[in-house]
Structure formats: structure tokens, C-alpha cells
Amino acid sequence: MAKAFGIIAPPPGHIQIMGLQEHRPIGAFSFLGRFRMIDFQLSNYSNSDIDRIAVFVRTNPRSLTEHLNNGSHYNINSKRGKLQILFSDRHKENDIYNTNIEGYFDNIDILERIHQSYVVIAPPHMVYTQDYRELMEEHISSGADITVLYHHVGDARENYAGCNVIEIDKNKRVLSIERNSGTAKERNIHMETYVMKKETFLDLIYRARKISAMYSFRMIVNEMCSELDVRAVAHRGYFAAVTDLKSYFDANLDLLRIEQAEDLFRDDWPIYTKTTDFCPSKYFEGASVSNSLVSNGCVIEGTVENSVIGRGCYIGKGARVKNCVVSAYTEIGEYVNVENQVIDKWVKISHANRITAKREQPGYIRRADRL
Amino acid sequence: MAQHTMLAMILAGGRGSRLLDLTNKVAKPAVSYGGKYRIIDFPLSNCANSGIDVVGVLTQYESVLLGSYVAQGRRWGLDSKDSGVYVLPPREKADEALDVYRGTADAISQNIDFVDNYDPEYLLILSGDHIYKMNYEKMLDYHKKNDADATIAVISVPLKEASRFGIMNTDKNGRITDFEEKPEKPKSTLASMGIYIFNWKQLRKMLVADMKNAESAHDFGKDIIPTMLKDKGRLFAYEFKGYWKDVGTIDSLWEANMDLLEKNSELNLNDPTWVIYSEDRSVLPQYIGPNAKIDVAYITQGCRIEGRVKKSVIFTGAQVGAGARVEDSVLMPGVIVEEGAVVKRALVADGVRIGKDAVVGSGGSGPITLIAKNVKGV
């Protein structure tokens, strides 16, 4: 079996997630309480026997580098394997230059030195499981130059605004990859996941730069659709694209449907993360918890409904947390009522507050705020 | 602390036969506790937190699981350069007959070469089956301050229970004058915790002599300590204040788990300054279903609760089905309580499945029922 090098692409420049992203890159977003977004992609690589991986980071690298460490918790061999973090933070003069192509080009010497014959590129802002060995096999047997993954959805009109869609012919050849215009319900969402030969990858980077300094990798692939054999492969199973606060909120709460969660968390496909060695969670009298995922280290004395609770949180007596995504170390004080909120880490809300929003437009509570 | 000033040796060879079926296949130190831990996580985490970086674990009874568990030193941060957890079962040596560890002291005697490799000044002897949080560095300071030959950690126990323990009688400076194993009429309430600090060079000599003594049981409590006292050695009692449990029976293991349900539990496992480290499993956070009802409980990641849980401790990956009821119980890792089943005052062993609508356990206040085999549904 041919070997592949894994690349977690720089976060797309057009995705700006209110609040959360000011503190960490999207890959380091907390997900389902005890995970971070990037855990899913790295576990995909690790479970697919890809143990040479580069992760691109543009801004606020601290939390991501802390979380990734040397990758040993992803089951990546500490000698044979390698998890590299590649930076690209030079293009602050104008955001138009912050393309993933620029990120790749900043590290082109490293990419040139890849000795695996193939690259598997995955995005940091999408959550799914995929066996890349199968995808590689399909890519090689089809003879395509580039293989991309897509996920068919029936709600592209109201959702997936920040995503691209793939047009394919009946032989699954890709005709175009364009922004989702929101004009049709049924769409093939571009999962920004590519398999190709290393040479093809490098060639596309150089080509893109010749055409425009604003070009992204998606744009150059789109441009080359007629010249190259670009094929699409359908993805099945759970898929979420986090492109704004609402989609982040929805992706977390969707997984409270336990059948969905069990599709994403299978015994034969472990999702690895870094342990924080929290003790189990304590429930005291007055606790009432339903349809929720609770991480370790929490103390719960109040009501939690339909929510995801991060590690080491405190939910006080008489408090009510409904439809919320609560990040680690947050305290919801006595008799506080919060609904439809994304609550960042280290927040402390004291008693008798009422903070609610509409389900369609969740609120965000800033990191380490006192309310 | 400078590296290797003090080496720790954990005695982890015991079966703990009063834990019945729980220790059929694993040694007592590997028994699960507190939702996500194994008992040996406590002494190992204490070592790591006390700045001890080399730990030998002496195994004997059913040592495969225990050995593979502790060998992963990185779980406790014991994996830096020159640091490690070393599994030491009895081994064959040149010019010596292969022998099991005949006693606690013999286990150390048979590994003198291992300790010598590190040439430590002090040797810390621990039990692998006690639940407590203790800073051994403070105990070493006390040992040094007293210019002691040996320091023994003690804990004050109720007088009526003192005859179950090895009791230390001390003078007003804490120097041990007398040691009585399970005395009928205890003169003090200071019980030995089985935690010793020795000066290695001195202990080494004693162990070499002890090995040759045909009369000896090769035991610290029965032989080494009494000999040191007889020789007028400077032995000091280091009084430990805090939570300490030697969980010898099903009832005491159940009780130690129930202790965690207290609001201000004496054993605080949520203390960021003294974390107890353990294996981390790749599982979902705990899922609490739409119709679940949880009263007072200690629940860990990977659990799935759809029924009712009251005053119970639920371990990694355990499941409580819809309409099921778990009360005053301990569900060990991977236990499945199917729909409608009832578990009351029971300790359910690892991986056991309680079938649909089955009723197990005991009401009232009698002994705790151990469920170690699958129970068919009705």
C-alpha cells in the first residue's frame, strides 16, 4: 500500500467564528466537552495508518500546540511517526493574502521534502470519520489525478452557508467546486478533503500563485477540473461543517441524539484526545440532568437539559442550563438560567442571572467573563 | 528533589483473597476504584507528585494485567529521562534457585541489584493496595530531621479497631518504643500504614542478613522492624492525617466508593494540586438520557445512563438502561444494567451484564452483594 502524508490545511480565511476564534484556531475549539475539533481529523489519520502529519496554524497557536504536543496521545509512533506544526502568520497587511496557498508556500521547503508518494489533505473545521486507506485505494484504482470527498445534504438552502458545493457528472467527475449559493436544497457539500500525488499537490500550489495571490487551494482545483481528472467520492456517516457560531452550536447539540454520536464514536475507530486527568463528575441532591453529555470533573447541583458540558464545570443549585454548549472550567452559579448559549471557558456567572437567546441564533459568552 | 535521592518500591504481589471473585484474575492493586481508577494509581500518583521518579512495582499474584498497566509510566508522568516504573516479578538468577517472594522484605531482598543500580540514599516502601493521598517528600523531611534509621507512617484509628492493626507505641518525640502486631489490649491508636522509609545502606545490610536467617518470615512488620527496635534503632512514627483506606473486603471496597458521594468527601479527587492520574480511555463524555434520573452519583466518561441512579458510583463505560434502577451500588467498568433491571446495595464486577428486569443485590443493611457473573433477564 502506498504511503500518504497527512496535511491539516490552514483554516479557510473566510470563516470567522464570533468570539471563539479570537482565542484559538478553529482546530482547537472544544467539541463535545472533552474533545477538540482537530481530534477527529488526527484520529482519522492515525486510525488509517498515516503517521506523518503536518498541521497548519495561522493565528493564536498556543492552545493548539499545547493540545497537540508530540502527538503521542493520537497513537502516533514517537519514533517512526511525526506530528509537525507549520506556521504562517506573515500576511497581516491584508486579509486577502491569508489563503491556504500562502500557508503552504510559506512552508514549501518542508512540503518538497515529503517522501511519501501521496498527500491526504483534510480541513480543521469539519467533523467526520473516514478511513483514508479506503479513500486512497479508490483514488489509485480510479486513476484519477485528484480525489475529493463530498457529503450529500438536503438542507443546503438554510445551512452550509460557508461551504462549497461540488458539481459532478454521472461518472463522478468533478465539474466545479463553487461557493454554496443557497439556492438549492440538495447539494454535495465539498468536504475540503483531497487525495493526490505529492507532485500534483506541489504543482497546484505553484500554479495558483502564478494566477493570483488571492487564490485558495479550492479555487485552483476548481480551475483545473477540465484539465485534470478530478473525481468525487461520497462520504457516509456523521458530518458537520463548522463555519459560524450557529453551525458550531448545532454540531454539538446534534450529537445529543445518541445514535448520531454512536455513529461518530465507534469501538473500531477511537477518537483520541489529550487527557486532563479529571476525576469523574459528581451529582448532588437537586441535580436533574437529561439528554446531555457531561464531561469529567463537573459538580452538578442544578438542572441541565439538552446540553454539552465541558470538563470541570460547576452547575449550582437551582441553576438551569438548557440547550447550551458549555466549555471547560465554567461556573453557572445558583439560580442562574441560561438557554441557547455557547459559553466559553473560565466563565463565571453569579446568581439570579437570566441569559437566553433564540435557538436559531445562539448567544456567545466570552472567555473568562464574569457575569 | 534531586533525582534518585529516594527510590520507591511498591509491594503489589498480594491477591486480596477477601475480595473474592474480584481478584480471581487480577491482583488487588489492579482492582478498579472510584469510577476511573485502579487502586495502584494512588501510590503511583503520590510518587509522581512527591517528586519520586523511579518506582519499582513488585508483582507476584496474577501479574500480567497489573504489570502491563503500570509499565506505561507516562500515565503518571513517570516517563522522563532516567525516570520510570519498573515491573519486578520474581525471576531466575544465576546460582540461585528460582523462588517466589517469601515475604515483603524478601521481595526487596531479591531486588537489591535493582535498587543498587540507582544507588539511592533512601528507600521508600509502599503498599500497592491503599487508597490515600500523601506527600512522601514531607515524610522524608521528617525522617531526615530526626536522623532516623527508619520512619513508619502511622494513622490514628479508633481504639476499638486498633487490635486489627500493627500498633506503634511512641514516646513524646514520636520515637517508636514498641511495636505490637494486632494487640489484644492496644496501648496506642497509631496504626502502621505499611509505609516505610529506610536508609538504603543500612537496610541493605539487614536484608542480606535476613535472607540467611532460616527462622525469619522475611517480613517488614514481623522481622525487620522488630529487629531494628531490639537493636535500639532510631525508628520514628510519622503521623498521617487524612483519608486512608485499605480495602480488604467487598464491604470496605463498596464503602470506600460510597465515601466519594459525600459533599465534602475527605478524599478529594478534584484537587488540581494533587491529581490522581490514571488510564484515559477514548470514549464519549458520560451521556445522560432524556428520561434518566440521577440523585446523588459519581459517574465517569463513557457511561450511558438512561434509567435511574441513586447514591451510586458508575465506572468507565457502564450502562444503565431505560427504566432500570441502580441504588446504593457500585458498577465497575463495562457493566451493563439492561432495561427495567434493579440493582440495590451491590457491587457489580467488571463487564457483568444484568439482564432485562432482573433484580439483584440486597436491601436493608446487610453485607453488600458481589455480582461477579452475568445475571439472566426475566
Side-chain angles (χ1 to χ4, degrees):
Chain A
M1 177 87 192
K3 274 293 201 184
F5 186 95
I7 294 172
I8 297 194
H14 68 278
I15 293 177
Q16 279 302 324
I17 291 152
M18 193 174 68
L20 287 168
Q21 211 169 340
E22 280 165 34
H23 302 287
R24 75 260 313 155
I26 201 160
F29 281 18
S30 146
F31 196 78
L32 271 198
R34 65 179 301 239
F35 299 95
R36 291 185 190 250
M37 298 272 294
I38 203 159
D39 292 339
F40 295 87
Q41 290 302 354
L42 288 172
S43 300
N44 284 343
Y45 284 137
S46 173
N47 293 333
S48 304
D49 295 332
I50 294 175
D51 58 9
R52 294 296 298 257
I53 300 158
V55 176
F56 279 85
V57 185
R58 188 177 292 132
T59 49
N60 292 323
R62 182 197 53 86
S63 63
L64 192 67
T65 48
E66 252 177 50
H67 181 72
L68 296 178
N69 204 332
N70 64 355
S72 60
H73 47 283
Y74 295 108
N75 225 6
I76 295 168
N77 187 295
S78 60
K79 298 280 183 189
R80 265 187 321 106
K82 188 172 174 185
L83 180 63
Q84 281 176 300
I85 300 171
L86 302 181
F87 298 91
S88 111
D89 194 10
R90 300 197 319 205
H91 316 291
K92 284 193 168 149
E93 66 271 39
N94 194 331
D95 210 41
I96 57 165
Y97 297 121
N98 281 324
T99 65
N100 46 13
I101 293 287
E102 279 305 305
Y104 295 140
F105 199 74
D106 286 346
N107 296 279
I108 199 75
D109 57 326
I110 290 166
L111 299 176
E112 294 269 12
R113 277 199 299 274
I114 290 174
H115 54 74
Q116 284 75 5
S117 345
Y118 291 87
V119 293
V120 175
I121 305 171
H125 63 293
M126 292 183 180
V127 176
Y128 59 84
T129 56
Q130 169 69 40
D131 189 336
Y132 290 133
R133 289 169 301 195
E134 288 171 12
L135 193 63
M136 285 266 292
E137 242 165 68
E138 201 151 343
H139 173 75
I140 292 166
S141 67
S142 75
D145 296 308
I146 300 173
T147 299
V148 297
L149 264 185
Y150 71 90
H151 193 90
H152 186 85
V153 300
D155 57 345
R157 201 173 281 160
E158 53 272 36
N159 294 314
Y160 303 100
C163 292
N164 296 290
V165 295
I166 294 186
E167 289 295 335
I168 47 178
D169 69 13
K170 59 182 188 307
N171 299 318
K172 298 249 175 166
R173 280 247 346 217
V174 175
L175 305 172
S176 70
I177 309 175
E178 302 278 3
R179 280 296 286 274
N180 177 19
S181 53
T183 49
K185 279 202 294 197
E186 303 261 331
R187 287 290 192 191
N188 298 322
I189 301 297
H190 175 41
M191 290 170 68
E192 301 185 32
T193 303
Y194 308 86
V195 181
M196 69 195 80
K197 283 216 166 90
K198 173 199 158 188
E199 287 74 28
T200 314
F201 174 57
L202 292 171
D203 184 52
L204 289 171
I205 296 170
Y206 290 118
R207 270 175 195 263
R209 277 179 60 87
K210 272 190 203 140
I211 299 170
S212 163
M214 284 170 63
Y215 250 39
S216 69
F217 196 73
R218 191 266 309 168
M219 290 171 181
I220 188 67
V221 173
N222 180 43
E223 182 111 357
M224 299 297 288
C225 275
S226 48
E227 257 175 74
L228 295 175
D229 183 355
V230 185
R231 302 277 180 101
V233 170
H235 168 264
R236 284 177 221 298
Y238 179 83
F239 166 72
V242 173
T243 53
D244 50 25
L245 193 70
K246 172 74 167 39
S247 54
Y248 170 77
F249 177 77
D250 286 344
N252 275 278
L253 296 194
D254 273 356
L255 285 161
L256 291 174
R257 278 184 290 150
I258 197 70
E259 314 75 49
Q260 289 260 34
E262 282 174 346
D263 182 68
L264 188 62
F265 292 84
R266 300 193 317 266
D267 288 344
D268 62 350
W269 202 263
I271 308 299
Y272 306 105
T273 189
K274 189 175 120 182
T275 178
T276 44
D277 291 294
F278 266 112
C279 65
S281 285
K282 274 184 171 185
Y283 299 78
F284 291 120
E285 263 159 59
S288 165
V289 181
S290 66
N291 198 40
S292 295
L293 282 161
V294 180
S295 306
N296 273 4
C298 294
V299 174
I300 297 180
E301 301 186 73
T303 300
V304 177
E305 286 169 59
N306 214 39
S307 295
V308 173
I309 312 290
R311 296 193 250 218
C313 289
Y314 170 75
I315 313 290
K317 249 199 189 93
R320 183 157 172 267
V321 178
K322 188 179 175 188
N323 296 340
C324 285
V325 179
V326 183
S327 304
Y329 308 106
T330 278
E331 284 183 42
I332 311 289
E334 292 183 9
Y335 303 103
V336 168
N337 190 337
V338 283
E339 192 171 337
N340 293 319
Q341 302 290 323
V342 172
I343 307 177
D344 210 325
K345 277 166 102 169
W346 301 107
V347 170
K348 201 171 173 173
I349 309 178
S350 313
H351 54 262
N353 263 309
R354 194 183 140 81
I355 304 166
T356 61
K358 287 203 178 93
R359 182 80 160 81
E360 307 73 52
Q361 212 178 348
Y364 167 75
I365 297 174
R366 279 188 235 139
R367 188 178 195 271
D369 260 5
R370 297 282 174 276
L371 301 168
Chain B
M1 195 193 295
Q3 291 200 327
H4 314 323
T5 306
M6 181 157 77
L7 207 73
M9 295 289 260
I10 301 181
L11 300 163
R15 171 170 185 177
S17 46
R18 286 176 304 153
L19 287 174
L20 312 172
D21 286 344
L22 277 189
T23 52
N24 265 349
K25 278 283 156 215
V26 294
K28 184 175 160 193
V31 166
S32 301
Y33 168 76
K36 64 175 284 200
Y37 307 96
R38 292 184 190 273
I39 297 174
I40 199 160
D41 288 330
F42 288 83
L44 281 169
S45 301
N46 287 340
C47 283
N49 290 331
S50 303
I52 295 168
D53 53 14
V54 176
V55 182
V57 179
L58 300 140
T59 63
Q60 184 150 294
Y61 173 77
E62 280 293 354
S63 60
V64 174
L65 188 145
L66 178 62
S68 60
Y69 183 72
V70 303
Q72 302 242 4
R74 77 172 140 122
R75 288 187 185 130
W76 304 277
L78 295 166
D79 64 339
S80 59
K81 207 166 165 56
D82 304 322
S83 165
V85 181
Y86 299 90
V87 185
L88 304 166
R91 63 198 139 119
E92 195 173 349
K93 299 185 188 85
D95 312 318
E96 269 175 65
L98 173 65
D99 207 347
V100 296
Y101 294 146
R102 293 166 295 173
T104 52
D106 188 48
I108 306 298
S109 302
Q110 291 200 35
N111 289 288
I112 285 177
D113 54 348
F114 170 80
V115 180
D116 279 346
N117 278 340
Y118 296 94
D119 191 27
E121 213 167 318
Y122 306 99
L123 192 73
L124 171 69
I125 309 285
L126 303 169
S127 291
D129 50 8
H130 296 165
I131 297 164
Y132 65 110
K133 297 196 299 185
M134 181 173 178
N135 189 340
Y136 307 128
E137 209 175 350
K138 285 193 180 152
M139 181 173 166
L140 180 62
D141 289 343
Y142 180 82
H143 177 85
K144 286 184 193 162
K145 195 187 82 195
N146 288 318
D147 193 23
D149 297 315
T151 300
I152 302 170
V154 296
I155 188 162
S156 183
V157 294
L159 187 64
K160 65 177 186 343
E161 283 178 37
S163 49
R164 284 174 41 215
F165 294 92
I167 295 296
M168 303 287 163
N169 301 319
T170 60
D171 68 13
K172 63 179 192 314
N173 299 319
R175 183 160 172 183
I176 298 167
T177 52
D178 188 21
F179 168 69
E180 291 179 289
E181 187 68 41
K182 299 185 177 151
E184 266 179 51
K185 286 191 180 146
K187 284 179 240 152
S188 119
T189 55
L190 296 179
S192 166
M193 295 164 69
I195 299 169
Y196 312 96
I197 292 178
F198 294 101
N199 303 327
W200 173 237
K201 284 204 179 78
Q202 196 182 352
L203 178 69
R204 193 184 190 285
K205 271 188 213 137
M206 294 195 64
L207 291 174
V208 171
D210 176 77
M211 275 204 282
K212 291 177 189 143
N213 181 357
E215 311 276 283
S216 173
H218 312 291
D219 186 271
F220 281 107
K222 290 189 192 112
D223 307 285
I224 305 293
I225 300 299
T227 308
M228 289 181 94
L229 283 171
K230 208 170 68 202
D231 296 346
K232 303 268 180 288
R234 289 177 61 80
L235 276 69
F236 282 81
Y238 174 74
E239 192 173 348
F240 172 76
K241 290 198 169 74
Y243 187 94
W244 178 78
K245 270 261 160 88
D246 175 359
V247 284
T249 62
I250 295 296
D251 278 82
S252 66
L253 178 60
W254 176 87
E255 225 175 80
N257 277 292
M258 290 299 134
D259 288 343
L260 295 167
L261 299 174
E262 298 292 320
K263 196 138 205 188
N264 296 304
S265 164
E266 211 186 346
L267 181 68
N268 177 12
L269 297 178
N270 209 357
D271 173 5
T273 64
W274 204 269
V275 175
I276 302 301
Y277 309 104
S278 189
E279 178 186 23
D280 188 60
R281 302 270 299 277
S282 300
V283 289
L284 269 172
Q286 49 205 281
Y287 173 70
I288 315 295
N291 301 310
K293 181 147 177 35
I294 298 175
D295 256 335
V296 173
Y298 203 64
I299 305 178
T300 194
Q301 57 198 23
C303 292
R304 183 170 167 176
I305 312 293
E306 313 234 35
R308 189 177 173 147
V309 174
K310 194 176 172 185
K311 288 196 179 139
S312 296
V313 180
I314 317 289
F315 290 53
T316 310
Q319 297 182 14
V320 177
R325 252 168 55 215
V326 176
E327 273 177 39
D328 301 308
S329 293
V330 173
L331 304 186
M332 294 232 158
V335 166
I336 294 175
V337 178
E338 292 184 355
E339 283 169 38
V342 178
V343 180
K344 255 187 172 172
R345 273 180 77 78
L347 191 149
V348 187
D350 306 53
V352 165
R353 181 182 283 266
I354 311 286
K356 198 165 173 263
D357 296 325
V359 178
V360 297
S362 47
S365 58
I368 300 304
T369 313
L370 169 68
I371 319 278
K373 288 197 179 78
N374 289 349
V375 176
K376 273 210 179 111
V378 287

